[in-house]
Amino acid sequence: MNRLARYISLCIVSMISLIPAYAEAIPQRDDPVREEPAQEDVAVQDIIFEHLQDSYWWHITTINDTHVTLYLPIIVRSSDSGWHLFSSRRLAHGERFEGFHIAPDGPHAGKVVTEDPSGAEIRPLDISLTKNALALLINSALMTILFLSVARWYKRRPKHAVPGGLIGALEMFVMNIEDEVIRKSIGRDYKRYSPYLLTAFFFILINNIMGLLPVFPGGANTTGNIAITMTLALCTMVAVNLFGNKEYWKEILWPDVPTWMKVPIPLMPVIELFGIISKPFALMIRLFANIMAGHTIILALTCLIFVTAKMGAATNTGMTAFSVLLSIFMNCLELLVAYIQAYVFTMLSSVFIGLSRPEHHKSKPKQTKQ
């Protein structure tokens, strides 16, 4: 219980420290309002989308009006000049380099573009290392280190040794997900799917938690990026349909319904085939929407402090206290959501895989009494 209390205390302190980190994302003016009677409105929408979107650099912090930023490599290929490799610092602040620049608006806003002879912006082949891509690499490396440490611990100790601390917590998560979710949802051959499902669970959980941390390398909106959730959903879709047995495909292509619903118009097969796409689509949208909504709410609550700055000291003080308290509550709630979303994705993936492995139960012949 003492260890659990220390873990909870550490999580609460981390959530409280997140408030100033989000506040740093709001641009600060050098001079107070005394010299400029009219204050500019805080662009709340721009602040929120700047945090949620991917970028070619990673702003870490600001120290005495000095921005500490990690500029990432840009790797693009133009149809005219071939491959280009340079630092994203070359394109910061609207600058141009080797015919490339970052589009300020339009359909390619925030992306590296070049111009054709007519002056229209076109997208080159872009395989740059962006903020989300770097965060994925860091979080994946962290997950690999954690589980290699667990494997090393078990390798160096007797078979029936009881782990404690972080090793014990990881073992608890692994046993809970495998025994209560994977095995009960899939059935006898659950072990062949356990590596993927456990990897998906811890990958989502670690990325969710790292997205809540206020300091580098945390804070990236990885699982709130629909491209990442789509890739996870496609992996589940492949596992479901590639390893589905004959009974599964029979229920899709020739379900046990009246014949007129199958021929001449394949009504039920079309509906069942549509379900192949709708299931991973639901996985993708659920994870993406929940994580993105959490980040959006926390940023919006933080922006209340600056939006109400022109309403007077009393109003601003009250809204600041309200914003801080509600933001602390939302961060604690998001810590719970981080686990719930990883659990739900793994559970639904296990259920879909289990449904693709139905067993044909034959009725046992009745024994006749002699």
Side-chain angles (χ1 to χ4, degrees):
M1 293 300 294
N2 292 334
R3 291 175 180 171
L4 180 60
R6 287 199 296 269
Y7 289 151
I8 294 175
S9 301
L10 180 61
C11 293
I12 293 176
V13 171
S14 299
M15 293 302 103
I16 294 175
S17 64
L18 183 60
I19 304 302
Y22 278 117
E24 287 179 358
I26 298 178
Q28 304 291 328
R29 286 182 288 271
D30 296 306
D31 299 326
V33 189
R34 296 174 184 173
E35 296 184 5
E36 295 183 8
Q39 277 189 338
E40 296 181 0
D41 293 333
V42 177
V44 177
Q45 183 177 355
D46 294 341
I47 295 170
I48 293 175
F49 278 104
E50 182 180 355
H51 172 78
L52 296 178
Q53 292 176 345
D54 202 0
S55 65
Y56 294 98
W57 47 77
W58 196 327
H59 179 261
I60 299 174
T61 187
T62 301
I63 303 174
N64 297 329
D65 297 330
T66 301
H67 298 285
V68 180
T69 304
L70 176 63
Y71 291 98
L72 303 173
I74 290 181
I75 309 170
V76 291
R77 184 184 185 279
S78 171
S79 57
D80 299 329
S81 54
W83 289 99
H84 296 261
L85 171 62
F86 53 90
S87 171
S88 59
R89 189 185 188 94
R90 301 278 191 175
L91 303 183
H93 312 295
E95 298 177 1
R96 293 172 178 259
F97 182 74
E98 295 183 354
F100 298 97
H101 66 279
I102 296 179
D105 49 24
H108 306 306
K111 302 296 183 182
V112 173
V113 295
T114 185
E115 294 180 354
D116 60 11
S118 64
E121 293 181 342
I122 57 174
R123 284 275 288 149
L125 176 62
D126 190 353
I127 58 171
S128 305
L129 181 65
T130 61
K131 176 182 177 181
N132 284 344
L134 178 60
L136 285 177
L137 293 175
I138 294 173
N139 297 341
S140 299
L142 175 62
M143 184 175 68
T144 303
I145 292 171
L146 284 175
F147 283 97
L148 288 178
S149 301
V150 174
R152 189 181 304 111
W153 188 94
Y154 279 102
K155 185 177 180 180
R156 294 180 178 180
R157 283 164 177 79
K159 183 177 180 181
H160 300 289
V162 179
L166 180 61
I167 305 296
L170 290 174
E171 182 186 27
M172 178 190 68
F173 279 117
V174 171
M175 292 181 63
N176 177 261
I177 296 300
E178 185 170 49
D179 294 340
E180 300 299 325
V181 177
I182 300 175
R183 183 167 62 178
K184 289 185 177 181
S185 300
I186 297 178
R188 293 183 304 180
D189 56 347
Y190 73 96
K191 289 186 177 180
R192 64 187 299 187
Y193 301 101
S194 289
Y196 162 67
L197 293 170
L198 287 171
T199 301
F201 171 80
F202 284 102
F203 176 82
I204 296 172
L205 179 62
I206 290 175
N207 278 275
N208 288 348
I209 294 176
M210 290 294 289
L212 295 174
L213 295 181
V215 295
F216 179 84
N221 184 36
T222 50
T223 44
N225 188 312
I226 197 167
I228 295 171
T229 61
M230 180 182 66
T231 303
L232 290 169
L234 287 175
C235 291
T236 297
M237 181 180 177
V238 170
V240 169
N241 296 284
L242 186 61
F243 301 107
N245 60 17
K246 294 180 180 180
E247 292 294 327
Y248 167 73
W249 286 107
K250 179 180 178 299
E251 291 177 1
I252 291 177
L253 300 176
W254 195 258
D256 189 14
V257 295
T259 306
W260 64 271
M261 300 184 71
K262 296 179 287 187
V263 290
I265 300 176
L267 179 61
M268 288 305 298
V270 169
I271 294 175
E272 294 292 340
L273 287 172
F274 181 75
I276 294 177
I277 302 174
S278 63
K279 290 175 182 177
F281 182 80
L283 288 176
M284 174 185 71
I285 295 299
R286 179 182 286 105
L287 179 59
F288 160 73
N290 280 279
I291 301 302
M292 186 184 68
H295 285 263
T296 303
I297 292 172
I298 293 172
L299 284 168
L301 288 172
T302 306
C303 289
L304 281 177
I305 300 173
F306 303 91
V307 171
T308 59
K310 296 187 296 183
M311 298 181 181
T315 302
N316 184 241
T317 301
M319 293 305 297
T320 298
F322 172 78
S323 173
V324 170
L325 292 175
L326 198 56
S327 296
I328 293 172
F329 170 76
M330 283 301 303
N331 276 283
C332 294
L333 184 62
E334 281 299 301
L335 189 62
L336 179 63
V337 170
Y339 171 77
I340 291 176
Q341 290 305 313
Y343 181 90
V344 169
F345 186 94
T346 308
M347 180 188 67
L348 292 178
S349 296
S350 301
V351 170
F352 295 154
I353 292 173
L355 292 174
S356 71
R357 309 285 298 172
E359 298 180 1
H360 184 66
H361 299 285
K362 296 182 179 180
S363 57
K364 296 181 180 181
K366 296 182 179 180
Q367 296 181 352
T368 58
K369 294 183 180 179
Q370 298 294 336

